[in-house]
């Protein structure tokens, strides 16, 4: 969990890190909690970016969920 304010569109605000035990390539997506589509995730990099500056700067918590198998 982290807190940011006055963030701009396309700013990197986090990173999802995961490994596949078989060494297969992973694809990152946001499963849940992305109210107002405030964030996006780089499907290959895992970087969490601001997608909607206004939504991301609205004072609330975004409990983002990322699926894995």
């Amino acid at each position: 969990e982290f807190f940011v304010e006055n963030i701009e569109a396309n700013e990197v605000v986090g990173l999802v890190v995961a490994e596949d035990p078989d060494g297969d390539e992973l694809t990152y997506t946001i499963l849940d909690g992305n109210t107002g589509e405030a964030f996006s995730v780089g499907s290959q990099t895992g970087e969490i970016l601001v997608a909607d500056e206004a939504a991301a700067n609205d004072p609330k918590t975004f409990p983002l969920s990322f699926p894995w198998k």
Side-chain angles (χ1 to χ4, degrees):
E1 185 174 316
F2 57 91
F3 176 80
V4 292
E5 63 181 336
N6 300 322
I7 52 181
E8 297 179 7
N10 298 315
E11 187 172 340
V12 176
V13 293
L15 180 66
V16 180
V17 179
E19 277 185 32
D20 182 85
D22 298 324
D24 295 334
E25 187 175 316
L26 299 175
T27 301
Y28 299 97
T29 60
I30 298 173
L31 177 67
D32 194 28
N34 194 13
T35 306
E37 301 296 317
F39 300 96
S40 65
V41 64
S43 63
Q44 301 301 309
T45 65
E47 290 181 329
I48 302 169
L49 300 116
V50 175
D52 183 324
E53 187 175 326
N57 282 300
D58 188 15
K60 63 180 135 199
T61 301
F62 294 90
L64 301 177
S65 297
F66 301 88
W68 69 84
K69 295 180 182 182

